[in-house]
Amino acid sequence: MNVAGHVPKQLFIAGAWQDAEAGRTLSVDDPATGKELARVADASPADAERAADAAAAAQPGWAATPPRVRGEILRRAYEIIVARTEELALLMTLEMGKPLEQARGEVAYAAEFFRWFSEEAVRIDGGFSTAPDGGNRILVLRQPVGPCLLITPWNFPLAMGTRKIGPAVAAGCTMVLKPAPQTPLSTLALAAILAEAGLPGGVLNVVPTSDAAGVVEPLLRGGQIRKLSFTGSTQVGRILLAQCAGTVVRTSMELGGNAAVLVFDDADLDVAVEGTMLAKMRNMGEACTAANRIFVHRSVAGEFASRVAARMAALTVGPGTEPGVDVGPLIDDAGRRKVDSLVRDAVAHGAEVLTGGELPAGPGCFYPPTVLTGVSGDAALMQTEIFGPVAAITEFDTEEEALAAANDTEWGLVGYVFTRSLDRALRVSERLETGMVGLNTGLVSNPAAPFGGVKQSGLGREGGRTGIDGFLEEKYVAIPF
Ligand code: ADP
């Protein structure tokens, strides 16, 4: 099926598919082959300006659209996505590399954000109360924050889109969406689905570009964008926060992670191995929630490491489109070279390679599942997101030592705890400096839960009951009475 051929390749502005200025295009490549998959319109700053104008023009009408109508558009889009699972999954696999089975999982996950926020659209409430001195009534309304700029990464091209579009649509905000240049096709397919589901023109505008910095900075300075919702690296997040300061644009930031896995001596090892495999290998390790540092109690470390190594060695590496493949290619050559240099650095700092660890020859951006033991605290990967299929295992002796090591990072997105002790589970969950904890599980992502980090992993939460809050402003009306 020529799935990439059917997807729109133009900019989506004011409800119309349009070429970029001067007909510019960017290349979307298949990381399994390195070959070009499609060419997509490459927005200029002027194109993005037109998109922001369209979002601003559509804002009043969209804010006045009944919540039920907004919710039902999301609900229809949810149904269309589910019905087209196979083609969307294949498209994602082709442009991003993940195995088809995982791409199907992402389609389901992505669709659920629309279902969740279709239900939240009609539950935007406010407040009415009496001031303590009895002299005033306090009326509180919640209104859409206004046109939003959404910037998404390449690792979950569909779900990171729906996780931002869902609450924005529910809240009554219009949008300019800039997808990652590696994976614009999934986002363009999503825009077409939303249009089919009845989203009015101008509410969602999509501008793929190879010049993210050049396109985004003027938008944030221009005064039309009221909120930025960004998912990406901490490094870029810091730049964008500084740019937002200039015009006091509201921000939601989902940034990097450096997740620790803590396996205690009282853990069920079957559960710990299974959970670690999931936390490590989902998306080939290309996730901000990926297990980056695995701390295991000394008494079980040997058995744990050899079981993880056996599981990793048994995984099938190959193009995500092929049946039976567990591990697809990484996103690009730079990505796999970074993984390779982190592994070499860990080995230079004394780590032992139990399996993998060798950069294969091309074609394709493959890296083998790798297990390292005895990883030193000084190895670069302890303070760098690996973003690849490398499990780095370190031993510990006490709970205190494990917690100190886990918290010894500027990031704080998620931690994973494996123990059968209820006391320890609660104690360690409370003391982990993270926004999320996986307790005897390697998967925390859930549209009904608040996803987000503390420290330099971000600001705000996406999904859950509070996921819509960042798209709403409170307005207070004082009423003498
Ligand atoms: P990664 O390293 O995983 O690609 P990035 O933070 O570089 O993560 O990218 C996440 C998103 O941010 C992508 O859509 C990318 O195009 C965009 N981006 C990168 N640099 C900038 C920038 N200077 N300004 C705005 N957006 C940017």
Side-chain angles (χ1 to χ4, degrees), residues 151-154 178-182 209 212-213 216-217 230-234 236-237 239-240 243 387:
I151 301 181
T152 53
W154 48 261
K178 192 211 80 59
Q182 297 92 334
T209 179
V216 166
E217 191 276 336
F230 172 76
T231 297
S233 61
T234 296
V236 172
I239 296 169
L240 293 174
Q243 291 176 2
F387 249 58

Side-chain angles (χ1 to χ4, degrees), residues 58-85:
Q59 181 59 60
W62 183 235
T65 301
R68 180 65 82 196
V69 173
R70 301 198 302 258
E72 285 184 349
I73 292 168
L74 287 177
R75 175 74 202 198
R76 276 197 293 280
Y78 157 78
E79 279 161 13
I80 298 171
I81 294 172
V82 170
R84 298 201 190 139
T85 295

Side-chain angles (χ1 to χ4, degrees), residues 33-110:
T33 60
K35 295 202 177 110
E36 185 174 282
L37 203 58
R39 296 198 71 85
V40 163
D42 185 2
S44 68
D47 292 323
E49 209 72 42
R50 286 192 298 114
D53 290 344
Q59 181 59 60
W62 183 235
T65 301
R68 180 65 82 196
V69 173
R70 301 198 302 258
E72 285 184 349
I73 292 168
L74 287 177
R75 175 74 202 198
R76 276 197 293 280
Y78 157 78
E79 279 161 13
I80 298 171
I81 294 172
V82 170
R84 298 201 190 139
T85 295
E86 280 310 305
E87 61 192 89
L88 289 168
L90 182 56
L91 184 64
M92 229 187 315
T93 293
L94 286 172
E95 70 173 350
M96 185 274 163
K98 71 183 72 188
L100 258 181
E101 198 48 40
Q102 292 193 34
R104 290 188 190 105
E106 181 175 344
V107 174
Y109 176 51

